[in-house]
Amino acid sequence: MKRTNYCGDITASLLGTKQTLCGWVNSYRNHGGVLFIDVRDRSGICQVVVEPSKPFFAEASAVRNEYVVEVTGTVNRRIEGAVNKNMKTGEIEVVAEEFKVLNTSIPLPFDVDKSLSVAEEIRLKYRYLDLRNPHMYANLLLRHRIMQAARRYLDGQGFLEVETPILTRSTPEGARDYLVPSRVHHGEFYALPQSPQMFKQTLMASGIDRYFQLARCFRDEDLRADRQPEHTQIDMEMSFVTIDDIHEVVEGLMKEIFKTAGKDISVPFPKLSYHDAMEKYGSDKPDLRYSLEMKNVNDVFKNTGFKVFKEVLAAGGAIRALRGEKGAAYSRGHLDKLTELAKKNGAKGLVWLKVKDGALEGPSAKFFTPQEMSALKEAVSALDGDIILVGSDANLHTCQTFMGALRKELVKELPRQSEWAFAWITNFPLLEYIPEEDRWDAAHNPFTAPVEEDLPNLEKDPGSVRSYQFDLVLNGNELASGSVRNCRREVQERILALMKHSKEESARRFGMLLNALEAGAPPHGGIGLGLDRITALLAGEESIREVIAFPKTAQAVCPLTDSPNVVDDIQLKELGIEISKE
Amino acid sequence: MKRTNYCGDITASLLGTKQTLCGWVNSYRNHGGVLFIDVRDRSGICQVVVEPSKPFFAEASAVRNEYVVEVTGTVNRRIEGAVNKNMKTGEIEVVAEEFKVLNTSIPLPFDVDKSLSVAEEIRLKYRYLDLRNPHMYANLLLRHRIMQAARRYLDGQGFLEVETPILTRSTPEGARDYLVPSRVHHGEFYALPQSPQMFKQTLMASGIDRYFQLARCFRDEDLRADRQPEHTQIDMEMSFVTIDDIHEVVEGLMKEIFKTAGKDISVPFPKLSYHDAMEKYGSDKPDLRYSLEMKNVNDVFKNTGFKVFKEVLAAGGAIRALRGEKGAAYSRGHLDKLTELAKKNGAKGLVWLKVKDGALEGPSAKFFTPQEMSALKEAVSALDGDIILVGSDANLHTCQTFMGALRKELVKELPRQSEWAFAWITNFPLLEYIPEEDRWDAAHNPFTAPVEEDLPNLEKDPGSVRSYQFDLVLNGNELASGSVRNCRREVQERILALMKHSKEESARRFGMLLNALEAGAPPHGGIGLGLDRITALLAGEESIREVIAFPKTAQAVCPLTDSPNVVDDIQLKELGIEISKE
């Protein structure tokens, strides 16, 4: 390789030396007959000077943006007025002695340094230009470093990286599977894994003891804004462990990953039960950078004359209140928006009370006694100039959920208590009832083990059974979901039976795992962490598409390769499939 | 976690300490009323002693092979006669103070320690038992280490790991694609990548400069014994490089990988042109652990009266000879087998001559003059007791190929010159002619660049154009294939035109790459190394299935998950496809 150094590394320490650069023309200008070319590579930019006396001056003068050049020259100090203190290479320039155009470029649809403001569809179609933007390179570099840090840490903890198949069996549950027709076996299909769940549990039954993989997972979901048909999971599983063991490993992993990005986080992470998370924050992925909590004010209104609250309490429902700091200043329009938000999240209405001169004001204020108002104010520690939002519903979960949505809105105006607020959410229920189908479903994952002492109640009172399921949340995002698994076939089958899977169906869908469980499976548990989301958070990006080299649009299309696309008839014929008439 | 140590790590240095083990019952026996249980985990085996006085003696007596147990006890020195010097833990035993059965096991279809001799279909069906065999664990551990070493090395060399999509565009070339019907876009399909070739070249156009990935590749091929529908490639690409730069990086990588497996190899690897490899060894992946070379004996027979050779030479063909050490002792049966092998590889016949008392003997000996026989003997340096195999064909390549097959057979009886014989095979032709289709095809890879000075002959004499293509071979196996690529759209399109791709077809198949090439693509090149094969060679395995956790059979079936398999009608309906009548 002729290159002696990356552009961004040619600093004053190399003054007087001869260097060869390779890179792209970032910009060029002729200044008083002398040509100045900024050459860019992944490391940065270096200014090249081409003097008019040079035999290659004409060739160099013909370059345009994004031409690829190779330049050899001597590192020189820039004249006083030309020094750029904001650039690593701003003190120097390379005076060209050799100059070669390695490749040309057609005129481009957008400037590389402005690519981030181009419409996303266009950015993705010309992703090779978009990725030349230093911001995008920084994102890919960060992702690379996170991946290496994760593997180095897990390797050091005795985990084995094992690759599990991409062409595997359809086990319809959760999302839809992507299917792959088999050419050799007519009428049969492989499926792409939604996660390596059954394989990693099988690896525990295989005595691997500690497994990890940066695993590609595939879900054919109805696409939402920030979902991708394929995503990457830092996937792991461990034998002979408790929940605390898993937490400890993941805390160490996150510390390592954040260190790689120059961030120091403290471990262990706080633990919060699902019950408390819902009760205090109205969410199972609360944003704990903010201390705002909602308050149970059932007692405040236990004798109320306000019909709505009275009926809610009579039905065994919930009344919850939130303090909105300085919210007394909210306009009618703002309050309507908050009410809309609550309704969109299941509320029938919303009571608001502004605190002004010690009194509570608002359309519903007239329904409350002075004692109720005073107790309400105290419950949420409201001060003059605040607003109090009070929600109620006959269904506790509904009330918590829409109040949680309001909390999320209110905290936007509050100061953060920390930059990174991690928490473990624990003690999820094992099962939840699906009334439409008159059956129980796994609250999270059908493989999660019930808490041992709740096991006798599994059939008697399925809804009361706690699980060894947990989530990791960060700044209001769910980063990971894990659990201790069922290691006995009998227990696993009882749970599948509650989910109304017949024995035959269970065997068909989960046969491999059930067979492994009865052949000496060790107690085990694990977790899968969303690499895309972790990287996006550390990169300060809203969308995971900014940290994926070649993402798909919300319509699951790749504008770069134009996939999916039609295929040749002969291919379908060989596969033994036909496209249905629409 | 209660475990204090892995079983295999409990050695005499821990005498007198209390330890907790978790693992599988590898064997058990009651010896004079005392129970001895060998507990196994991934690290090894430890002997546990359960005394009859213990309250858990009955529970412990009920264990069977592959039960999962947890044992706490004190590390004790074994009595003199019970010491096993062949085991790391053979000096000690753990005297149980606590004992728990964590899980039971049904009786198993085969013993874990005998799994390697079970029929492969059964091993794969019960892979979770097969992988408990320490030999299989060692293979997976080796693979893990190779993967970590590869990434560590490439990270250190400035390569960025970038994940490329699995759901991508069908680009029919080489093997068949696996297709994935799109549910959202009726009648359209994704394809699984045969390799990330176009993506990695696009990453070079994106300025990533150095890319790598341990990439999953998918080929729907007619299955041969040791092919898998999916395989893993250590995939890399670099910008602004020559062939030598790529070789240097790969040599460093292989040295690192081999070091991980405790093997020291020397670099750089020898380079051998494709022409010389075919001429000396009759193969583009010669096994260079053996020095045996075939010899061009055209000149020896230039005036021969032997009709076969005379006609071959008149047709511009080739005569090649191989020395078979001590082959004068070959039986008629053995010689028939060699002749059969030659014929299977394209020969019309084979001349053999045994060297006995300085003379050459054999059915064809009568056709040759003493001068010819003496020159032949000298050409291959044959000694008394040897045999000389002489092959001829009007087509040089045919002659080289079947003589190469014979060489492969002959070296089986020769001593190895080295344990690991690497070589770069270089200077492959760019194109080869496909007479049936009256077109040229890429000899290796349509993206390989022609040697710059041969470029003017591209259309005039395509067959003469040399390429920047190269292979890495080890002990007769092709480990990797790489090249410097076309970085100019114009040259790439000229090559595609010779392959009889119309502009429209080229745009459809290779559009993304062609577009990237004309927008400032840097000179670049790369390589993909077969991880499965490298691991198998280092593990001393014939089959790559021994180093893949969950491989498929030669029929592309996974007996563990029973995939591929039928799917629900509703799934097909959602995807808008139907299964054709057979």
Side-chain angles (χ1 to χ4, degrees):
Chain A
M1 197 161 51
K2 286 195 181 160
R3 175 170 55 199
T4 55
N5 252 304
Y6 281 111
C7 295
D9 297 337
I10 302 194
T11 57
S13 69
L14 296 172
L15 278 174
T17 63
K18 202 173 199 177
Q19 300 291 341
T20 299
L21 305 179
C22 295
W24 286 261
V25 173
N26 198 59
S27 64
Y28 56 94
R29 62 192 181 285
N30 186 316
H31 190 73
V34 178
L35 194 61
F36 293 89
I37 302 177
D38 276 356
V39 180
R40 185 195 68 238
D41 64 23
R42 72 181 201 184
S43 70
I45 285 175
C46 181
Q47 178 172 296
V48 167
V49 182
V50 183
E51 292 156 346
S53 59
K54 291 294 185 328
F56 45 79
F57 186 79
E59 188 184 3
S61 297
V63 300
R64 294 295 170 262
N65 280 355
E66 302 307 316
Y67 274 36
V68 185
V69 297
E70 179 184 311
V71 185
T72 301
T74 302
V75 183
N76 216 2
R77 191 179 294 281
R78 295 194 195 178
I79 58 163
E80 195 69 29
V83 168
N84 183 342
K85 288 282 180 200
N86 298 324
M87 273 175 78
K88 225 177 120 192
T89 64
E91 285 179 71
I92 62 93
E93 58 195 15
V94 170
V95 182
E97 288 150 31
E98 291 171 48
F99 188 98
K100 238 180 1 204
V101 172
L102 299 176
N103 208 354
T104 59
S105 171
I106 56 167
L108 300 180
F110 54 79
D111 285 346
V112 162
D113 58 359
K114 295 192 185 66
S115 78
L116 301 182
S117 57
V118 172
E120 192 172 32
E121 180 94 13
I122 305 294
R123 286 178 65 195
L124 294 181
K125 184 171 166 65
Y126 300 96
R127 191 62 159 180
Y128 43 92
L129 300 179
D130 187 34
L131 291 179
R132 285 184 204 163
N133 186 304
H135 180 86
M136 293 306 289
Y137 176 73
N139 283 357
L140 292 186
L141 179 61
L142 175 66
R143 187 179 178 113
H144 162 78
R145 288 190 175 144
I146 290 172
M147 291 195 287
Q148 309 319 309
R151 291 211 197 75
R152 207 166 45 232
Y153 171 80
L154 291 167
D155 178 39
Q157 296 286 315
F159 285 79
L160 249 62
E161 185 173 4
V162 181
E163 293 155 287
T164 56
I166 298 286
L167 290 169
T168 179
R169 176 84 185 265
S170 174
T171 55
E173 42 114 13
R176 287 184 201 85
D177 287 314
Y178 281 105
L179 296 182
V180 182
S182 162
R183 181 176 52 84
V184 184
H185 305 277
H186 178 78
E188 299 191 347
F189 295 79
Y190 303 98
L192 307 185
Q194 294 185 29
S195 89
Q197 184 68 30
M198 288 208 279
F199 284 109
K200 69 179 178 175
Q201 293 195 240
T202 302
L203 285 171
M204 293 306 100
S206 307
I208 297 303
D209 202 69
R210 298 189 146 204
Y211 142 90
F212 85 95
Q213 186 181 195
L214 269 59
R216 210 70 69 86
C217 303
F218 303 85
R219 292 180 193 183
D220 185 8
E221 291 176 297
D222 292 316
L223 294 151
R224 281 184 265 153
D226 211 22
R227 284 286 174 86
Q228 287 285 313
E230 53 187 297
H231 70 275
T232 303
Q233 194 162 297
I234 306 178
D235 193 49
M236 58 184 100
E237 197 79 5
M238 310 158 66
S239 293
F240 304 111
V241 289
T242 62
I243 285 189
D244 287 343
D245 298 318
I246 304 173
H247 287 186
E248 205 183 309
V249 164
V250 174
E251 285 161 353
L253 172 65
M254 294 310 291
K255 203 169 166 61
E256 239 4 82
I257 286 176
F258 273 63
K259 200 161 80 185
T260 259
K263 313 277 182 193
D264 185 37
I265 56 169
S266 59
V267 295
F269 303 145
K271 292 183 210 272
L272 188 68
S273 72
Y274 170 75
H275 174 272
D276 288 355
M278 291 305 294
E279 189 59 28
K280 288 184 183 171
Y281 310 107
S283 169
D284 59 1
K285 44 182 180 178
D287 190 341
L288 299 172
R289 288 175 298 175
Y290 307 95
S291 51
L292 179 66
E293 291 182 12
M294 53 196 233
K295 299 295 177 184
N296 179 336
V297 290
N298 282 16
D299 275 358
V300 169
F301 298 103
K302 63 177 179 238
N303 301 314
T304 191
F306 183 46
K307 196 171 159 249
V308 175
F309 288 1
K310 204 169 165 174
E311 287 176 7
V312 157
L313 290 179
I319 314 175
R320 298 292 182 268
L322 272 169
R323 175 191 176 206
E325 223 177 301
K326 305 207 177 83
Y330 287 169
S331 67
R332 187 69 216 194
H334 192 141
L335 289 165
D336 286 348
K337 266 173 55 187
L338 290 176
T339 306
E340 261 324 291
L341 181 66
K343 283 184 175 167
K344 238 182 65 187
N345 286 277
K348 291 184 192 74
L350 180 67
V351 169
W352 55 261
L353 297 155
K354 292 182 172 180
V355 191
K356 286 190 175 165
D357 302 323
L360 297 187
E361 297 177 7
S364 318
K366 57 180 179 256
F367 301 116
F368 303 119
T369 65
Q371 289 76 10
E372 284 170 345
M373 296 212 256
S374 148
L376 177 64
K377 245 174 66 184
E378 202 182 325
V380 299
S381 310
L383 302 178
D384 247 29
D386 289 347
I387 196 168
I388 305 174
L389 306 180
V390 191
S392 68
D393 201 277
N395 181 290
L396 169 66
H397 191 263
T398 302
C399 180
Q400 288 172 331
T401 302
F402 72 75
M403 289 303 282
L406 289 174
R407 177 186 182 270
K408 225 172 137 179
E409 190 58 30
L410 292 180
V411 297
K412 286 182 184 165
E413 291 168 36
L414 297 178
R416 290 179 190 166
Q417 313 287 311
S418 61
E419 191 184 358
W420 305 107
F422 285 94
W424 293 108
I425 311 299
T426 61
N427 281 111
F428 280 91
L430 182 70
L431 297 159
E432 57 191 20
Y433 188 63
I434 312 287
E436 308 84 58
E437 303 175 25
D438 184 29
R439 67 180 188 96
W440 293 87
D441 201 2
H444 260 73
N445 176 323
F447 309 115
T448 297
V451 167
E452 196 66 24
E453 65 242 48
D454 292 359
L455 195 51
N457 299 325
L458 191 54
E459 286 79 10
K460 268 182 287 180
D461 185 5
S464 75
V465 174
R466 291 165 300 164
S467 77
Y468 290 124
Q469 177 78 37
F470 53 85
D471 280 356
L472 177 61
V473 299
L474 169 60
N475 296 358
N477 298 279
E478 183 194 314
L479 285 194
S481 193
S483 69
V484 170
R485 328 291 187 185
N486 291 304
C487 75
R488 281 174 290 163
R489 179 174 185 142
E490 172 251 337
V491 175
Q492 183 65 71
E493 285 187 324
R494 283 165 66 190
I495 291 169
L496 291 174
L498 286 166
M499 291 167 61
K500 293 255 171 103
H501 287 307
S502 67
K503 281 229 176 198
E504 295 67 40
E505 198 189 356
S506 293
R508 184 165 72 85
R509 291 187 179 186
F510 310 111
M512 143 190 177
L513 180 64
L514 293 171
N515 292 338
L517 291 185
E518 71 181 358
H524 62 285
I527 189 168
L529 299 107
L531 176 66
D532 304 293
R533 179 56 57 202
I534 292 170
T535 309
L537 283 168
L538 275 170
E541 298 285 3
E542 285 287 319
S543 164
I544 60 172
R545 292 189 298 279
E546 300 297 317
V547 296
I548 297 173
F550 302 106
K552 293 192 175 59
T553 66
Q555 278 66 50
V557 161
C558 171
L560 177 67
T561 54
D562 219 351
S563 70
N565 212 311
V566 295
V567 297
D568 295 340
D569 286 344
I570 177 79
Q571 289 180 278
L572 299 185
K573 203 164 172 179
E574 283 194 314
L575 293 175
I577 60 167
E578 286 162 28
I579 296 167
S580 314
K581 305 267 174 286
E582 274 202 270
Chain B
M1 194 159 54
K2 286 194 180 161
R3 174 170 57 198
T4 55
N5 251 305
Y6 282 112
C7 294
D9 297 336
I10 301 192
T11 57
S13 68
L14 296 172
L15 278 174
T17 63
K18 201 174 200 178
Q19 300 290 343
T20 299
L21 304 178
C22 294
W24 286 260
V25 173
N26 196 60
S27 64
Y28 56 94
R29 61 195 182 284
N30 185 316
H31 189 73
V34 177
L35 194 60
F36 293 87
I37 303 177
D38 275 356
V39 180
R40 185 196 68 238
D41 63 24
R42 72 181 201 185
S43 69
I45 286 174
C46 180
Q47 178 171 297
V48 167
V49 182
V50 183
E51 291 156 345
S53 58
K54 290 294 186 322
F56 47 77
F57 185 80
E59 187 184 2
S61 297
V63 301
R64 294 295 171 264
N65 281 354
E66 301 308 315
Y67 274 36
V68 185
V69 297
E70 178 185 311
V71 184
T72 300
T74 301
V75 183
N76 217 3
R77 190 178 295 281
R78 294 193 194 180
I79 59 164
E80 197 69 32
V83 168
N84 183 343
K85 289 281 181 201
N86 297 324
M87 272 175 80
K88 223 177 119 194
T89 65
E91 285 180 71
I92 61 93
E93 59 195 14
V94 170
V95 182
E97 288 149 32
E98 292 171 50
F99 187 99
K100 239 181 358 204
V101 172
L102 299 177
N103 208 355
T104 59
S105 171
I106 56 168
L108 299 180
F110 54 81
D111 286 345
V112 163
D113 59 359
K114 295 194 185 66
S115 77
L116 301 182
S117 57
V118 172
E120 190 170 34
E121 180 94 11
I122 305 294
R123 286 178 67 195
L124 294 182
K125 183 172 167 62
Y126 299 95
R127 192 64 159 178
Y128 43 93
L129 301 177
D130 186 34
L131 292 179
R132 286 185 204 163
N133 187 303
H135 179 86
M136 293 306 288
Y137 176 74
N139 283 356
L140 292 187
L141 179 61
L142 175 65
R143 187 180 178 112
H144 162 78
R145 287 190 175 145
I146 290 173
M147 291 196 286
Q148 309 317 311
R151 289 209 199 78
R152 209 166 41 233
Y153 171 79
L154 291 168
D155 178 38
Q157 297 286 315
F159 285 79
L160 249 63
E161 186 173 3
V162 180
E163 294 156 285
T164 55
I166 298 285
L167 290 169
T168 180
R169 176 84 185 263
S170 173
T171 54
E173 41 114 15
R176 286 185 203 85
D177 287 314
Y178 281 106
L179 296 183
V180 182
S182 162
R183 180 176 53 84
V184 184
H185 304 278
H186 179 78
E188 299 191 348
F189 294 80
Y190 303 98
L192 307 185
Q194 295 185 28
S195 89
Q197 183 69 30
M198 288 209 277
F199 284 109
K200 69 180 177 174
Q201 292 194 241
T202 301
L203 286 171
M204 293 305 101
S206 308
I208 297 303
D209 202 71
R210 297 188 145 204
Y211 141 92
F212 84 96
Q213 187 180 196
L214 269 60
R216 210 70 70 83
C217 303
F218 303 86
R219 294 181 191 182
D220 185 8
E221 292 176 297
D222 291 318
L223 294 150
R224 283 183 261 153
D226 211 20
R227 283 286 174 89
Q228 287 286 311
E230 53 188 298
H231 71 276
T232 303
Q233 195 162 296
I234 306 179
D235 193 49
M236 60 184 100
E237 196 79 7
M238 310 159 66
S239 293
F240 304 110
V241 290
T242 63
I243 285 189
D244 287 344
D245 298 318
I246 304 172
H247 287 186
E248 204 183 310
V249 164
V250 173
E251 284 161 354
L253 171 66
M254 295 309 291
K255 201 167 168 67
E256 241 358 84
I257 286 175
F258 274 62
K259 200 161 81 184
T260 259
K263 311 279 182 191
D264 185 36
I265 56 170
S266 60
V267 295
F269 302 146
K271 293 183 209 273
L272 189 67
S273 71
Y274 170 76
H275 173 272
D276 287 356
M278 291 304 295
E279 189 60 28
K280 289 183 181 171
Y281 309 107
S283 168
D284 59 1
K285 43 181 182 182
D287 191 342
L288 299 172
R289 289 176 299 176
Y290 308 96
S291 53
L292 180 64
E293 291 181 13
M294 52 195 236
K295 300 294 178 188
N296 180 337
V297 289
N298 283 14
D299 275 359
V300 169
F301 298 105
K302 63 177 181 241
N303 301 316
T304 191
F306 182 46
K307 193 165 160 259
V308 174
F309 289 180
K310 203 169 168 172
E311 287 176 4
V312 157
L313 289 178
I319 314 174
R320 298 290 181 272
L322 272 169
R323 173 191 177 208
E325 221 177 303
K326 307 208 175 79
Y330 288 170
S331 67
R332 185 72 215 192
H334 192 140
L335 288 165
D336 286 348
K337 263 174 55 188
L338 289 176
T339 306
E340 262 324 291
L341 180 66
K343 284 184 175 167
K344 237 182 64 188
N345 285 277
K348 293 183 191 72
L350 180 68
V351 169
W352 56 261
L353 296 155
K354 292 182 171 180
V355 190
K356 286 189 171 165
D357 302 324
L360 297 187
E361 296 179 7
S364 320
K366 57 180 178 263
F367 301 116
F368 304 119
T369 65
Q371 290 75 7
E372 285 170 343
M373 296 211 258
S374 147
L376 177 64
K377 244 175 64 185
E378 201 181 325
V380 300
S381 311
L383 302 179
D384 246 29
D386 290 346
I387 195 168
I388 304 174
L389 306 182
V390 191
S392 67
D393 201 276
N395 181 293
L396 168 66
H397 190 263
T398 303
C399 179
Q400 288 172 330
T401 302
F402 73 74
M403 289 304 282
L406 289 174
R407 176 184 183 271
K408 224 171 138 180
E409 190 59 30
L410 291 180
V411 297
K412 286 182 183 165
E413 290 168 36
L414 297 178
R416 290 180 191 166
Q417 314 288 312
S418 61
E419 191 184 0
W420 305 106
F422 285 93
W424 293 108
I425 311 298
T426 61
N427 282 109
F428 281 91
L430 182 71
L431 296 159
E432 57 191 23
Y433 188 63
I434 312 288
E436 308 85 55
E437 304 174 24
D438 184 28
R439 66 180 189 97
W440 293 86
D441 201 3
H444 260 73
N445 176 325
F447 309 113
T448 297
V451 167
E452 197 65 25
E453 67 242 46
D454 291 359
L455 196 51
N457 299 325
L458 190 53
E459 286 79 11
K460 270 182 287 182
D461 186 6
S464 76
V465 174
R466 290 164 301 163
S467 76
Y468 290 124
Q469 177 78 38
F470 53 86
D471 279 356
L472 176 62
V473 300
L474 168 61
N475 296 358
N477 297 279
E478 183 196 314
L479 285 196
S481 193
S483 68
V484 170
R485 326 294 185 185
N486 291 305
C487 73
R488 280 174 290 163
R489 179 174 185 142
E490 172 252 338
V491 175
Q492 183 65 70
E493 284 187 325
R494 283 165 66 191
I495 292 168
L496 292 174
L498 286 165
M499 292 166 63
K500 292 253 171 103
H501 287 305
S502 68
K503 281 232 174 195
E504 296 66 41
E505 198 188 356
S506 294
R508 185 166 71 85
R509 291 186 178 186
F510 309 111
M512 146 187 173
L513 181 63
L514 292 172
N515 292 338
L517 292 185
E518 70 182 357
H524 62 283
I527 190 169
L529 299 108
L531 176 66
D532 304 294
R533 179 56 58 202
I534 291 171
T535 309
L537 283 167
L538 276 171
E541 298 285 3
E542 285 286 320
S543 165
I544 59 171
R545 292 188 298 278
E546 300 296 317
V547 296
I548 297 174
F550 303 106
K552 295 193 173 58
T553 66
Q555 279 65 49
V557 161
C558 171
L560 176 67
T561 55
D562 218 352
S563 70
N565 212 308
V566 294
V567 297
D568 295 340
D569 286 344
I570 177 77
Q571 289 179 280
L572 299 185
K573 204 163 172 181
E574 283 193 313
L575 293 176
I577 60 167
E578 286 163 28
I579 297 166
S580 315
K581 307 266 173 287
E582 273 202 272

